[in-house]
């Protein structure tokens, strides 16, 4: 089944939201902040690094996963 551009955009938005919500959960658990505080941390990191919030969230999640042998470890500090 081929998706329309609008359907692809909607799917991408849902995927981005899931990644951001997962990253917020990590920050909430590690730093003891609420959901708004965790999102503010993501936004601040995004602003400082001139990186989309979705990309910041993806990098955070990658940094807490065990790297495979063929992957370089992530270095951004939270």
């Amino acid at each position: 089944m081929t998706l329309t551009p609008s359907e692809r955009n909607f799917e991408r938005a849902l995927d981005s939201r899931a990644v951001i919500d997962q990253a917020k959960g990590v920050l909430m658990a590690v730093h003891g902040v609420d959901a708004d505080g965790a999102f503010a941390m993501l936004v601040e990191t995004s602003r400082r690094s001139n990186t989309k919030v979705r990309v910041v969230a993806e990098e955070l999640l990658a940094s807490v996963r065990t790297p495979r042998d063929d992957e370089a470890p992530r270095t951004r500090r939270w």
Side-chain angles (χ1 to χ4, degrees), residues 23-41:
K24 284 170 39 182
V26 169
L27 292 172
M28 291 166 67
V30 171
H31 295 286
V33 296
D34 63 9
D36 289 338
F39 186 70
M41 293 173 77

Side-chain angles (χ1 to χ4, degrees), residues 8-48:
R8 280 193 298 273
N9 287 340
F10 184 69
E11 189 173 78
R12 177 84 170 154
L14 289 176
D15 290 344
S16 292
R17 177 164 180 157
V19 169
I20 291 168
D21 283 346
Q22 289 174 28
K24 284 170 39 182
V26 169
L27 292 172
M28 291 166 67
V30 171
H31 295 286
V33 296
D34 63 9
D36 289 338
F39 186 70
M41 293 173 77
L42 291 171
V43 169
E44 177 61 19
T45 301
S46 169
R47 186 191 61 75
R48 280 195 328 260

Side-chain angles (χ1 to χ4, degrees), residues 38-67:
F39 186 70
M41 293 173 77
L42 291 171
V43 169
E44 177 61 19
T45 301
S46 169
R47 186 191 61 75
R48 280 195 328 260
S49 63
N50 194 31
T51 307
K52 292 182 178 184
V53 172
R54 175 187 47 79
V55 173
V56 170
E58 289 170 346
E59 290 176 354
L60 171 61
L61 294 175
S63 75
V64 298
R65 293 185 180 120
T66 304

Side-chain angles (χ1 to χ4, degrees), residues 62-63 65-75:
S63 75
R65 293 185 180 120
T66 304
R68 298 185 325 230
D69 291 336
D70 61 341
E71 285 185 343
R74 306 297 195 262
T75 58

